[in-house]
Amino acid sequence: MKFQLYCIVFFLLFSSQQGVSQSKKSYKYSSKRASTVRKKVRANIQLLRALELIKKQDYQEGSKQLFSISQSSRYKNRRSEIRYQLGVALLRMGLLSSASFQFLSVVKRGNRHYTRLSLERLSEIAARVGNEQIIQFAIQQGGARKVKGKYRDALYFQFGKYEMNKRSYRKAASYLNRVSFSSTVYDKAMYNLGLSYAEQRKNREAVRAFSKILSKNKKITDQVRVAALMGTARVYYQAKKWDLAIRYYRQIPRDTSFWHDMLFENSWALLRAGKFRSALNGFQTLHSDYYDDVYQPGSLLLRAIIYMYICKYDEMEKMLTLFKRTYSPVHGRVRGILSSSSSLYYSKLLRSLKGDGGDFPMVIAQRIYREGDFNWLHMYIESLQSERNTIKRLPYSWRASKAGQYALRLVDENLRKSQRQVNQVIRRHLSFFQKELNDFVNQEKYLRYESLRGKREQLKKKITAKHLGSVQIIEGTSRDFFVQNGFEFYPFRGEYWLDELGNYHYVGTQSCR
């Protein structure tokens, strides 16, 4: 009996202890769960406060809080939203590069809603700063298919220009053809479409693209309209339809930036058509003092060739002497820049343009400045420098925050990369000019030889008392057999085509007989 009693007491004691331990475990579990819930509530409140700051346009304080939140693992499920809102805040503060990085990270995560919104913002940034890396990433992600309305057209236009810079003209045309007629970038898209077709030797398609711009009722001096006229003239020149090319060149208004280019290119078309007197008329303007700082060695040699055709050897000598006096120093300075150990081409070029020292001849500096690949990078570098200045003007509290330190590091790194890239672009252009000037110098020497030979022939006829008569300049006569491997339209190098019609080599005879 006692044994049974002991068993019952033991059982009751054991049960009570087990109940106590279970209650302790239950309490610990519920306490832990409550703590987790409290943390989640606090986290949600913190996020809601940060988003509320963005809505109230307090972008500085909102970006600081969102940046800290974006680093926490608690917000894993809402990271796309957080990154997007942080990008919006930085964009509204004028920090385009920092904002673009946030939008790119959203696109990588693949959230459908925020990917579309981020691509729209990226198209806006790319249009303002011309960052090729953004465009390349958007292409890889199939960006244009995921956005709507004006942003889609803007992306197609940016994609087209990006592919043209890569010389992928077929891909460029496929993107540019998708820009809708109602888009604000439609005219620019059609101009670039015409260029891409011209590069592919699709002359009919190129003329058709340019005609879509010309059919609109635009001002005579409208920049895109004049560019389309120039493009049409160049396509007809490429097709060896000289009279049509001349007709379109003559429609270029005098008070536009294309006037100088037109004079030179039209002179080539007139020469190909055998209209020597007309070709000479444009040179009075081309070689005036107003254009002393324009790189145009080809026009001097072209004028010398025309004087040789009509047996004006004294005038021909003047042109060759002017060429040597003007471009021999330029040739030497370009060689010197390329052979120097310093690779800080970008800063030297900018100083030369400002007239503040620098080693670049003004004619070369201005020509490189007009090139599309340089201009794109220069615009991006200026945007980064402006962003850096914006960061420095912000309150110290923001600059010292994690968001501010991150933004400054990102801008500095992009600046270093872009400056290395632009230096490579400038060196590539300098190498081209060195090669081109080498060729022009050889042409100048050969033309001097032709001039001496022509004078000798005239002297021989005079000594033998042959009747020379007066030199006749016959307009409209085909002179193609006088020039070989020249006058052909060789590949364009970007948006600006000055001097790209005339990599010519004189191998002919004079017309003075």
Side-chain angles (χ1 to χ4, degrees), residues 277-395:
R277 183 184 291 111
S278 300
L280 284 171
N281 289 339
F283 289 118
Q284 299 300 326
T285 304
L286 273 173
H287 299 150
S288 64
D289 294 340
Y290 184 77
Y291 291 113
D292 275 350
D293 289 337
V294 177
Y295 178 81
Q296 52 181 2
S299 68
L300 292 172
L301 295 184
L302 174 59
R303 190 173 182 180
I305 288 173
I306 295 174
Y307 281 133
M308 182 176 61
Y309 282 160
I310 61 176
C311 306
K312 299 287 187 180
Y313 296 111
D314 291 339
E315 296 298 323
M316 180 182 176
E317 286 289 337
K318 290 178 184 177
M319 290 301 103
L320 296 176
T321 301
L322 179 59
F323 170 85
K324 190 170 185 178
R325 186 173 68 245
T326 304
Y327 290 100
S328 287
V330 173
H331 190 202
R333 288 175 68 182
V334 169
R335 275 203 313 264
I337 295 170
L338 286 171
S339 61
S340 67
S341 57
S342 173
S343 59
L344 301 176
Y345 302 121
Y346 182 61
S347 58
K348 290 180 180 178
L349 186 143
L350 294 181
R351 287 203 308 271
S352 298
L353 287 169
K354 294 176 182 176
D356 184 23
D359 302 327
F360 283 72
M362 183 60 74
V363 291
I364 296 295
Q366 288 184 340
R367 178 64 184 275
I368 293 176
Y369 187 81
R370 293 184 64 196
E371 293 294 337
D373 53 358
F374 171 83
N375 217 267
W376 190 311
L377 274 168
H378 176 59
M379 182 173 68
Y380 181 51
I381 289 172
E382 285 192 327
S383 170
L384 289 172
Q385 290 172 338
S386 174
E387 184 170 341
R388 200 175 193 280
N389 293 333
T390 300
I391 292 172
K392 289 184 175 181
R393 287 195 297 269
L394 288 169

Side-chain angles (χ1 to χ4, degrees), residues 75-94:
Y75 305 91
K76 187 176 180 180
N77 294 333
R78 300 186 68 178
R79 189 151 289 166
S80 293
E81 178 188 5
I82 293 166
R83 293 273 190 179
Y84 173 75
Q85 293 294 347
L86 176 57
V88 170
L90 294 170
L91 180 62
R92 297 296 174 252
M93 292 168 66

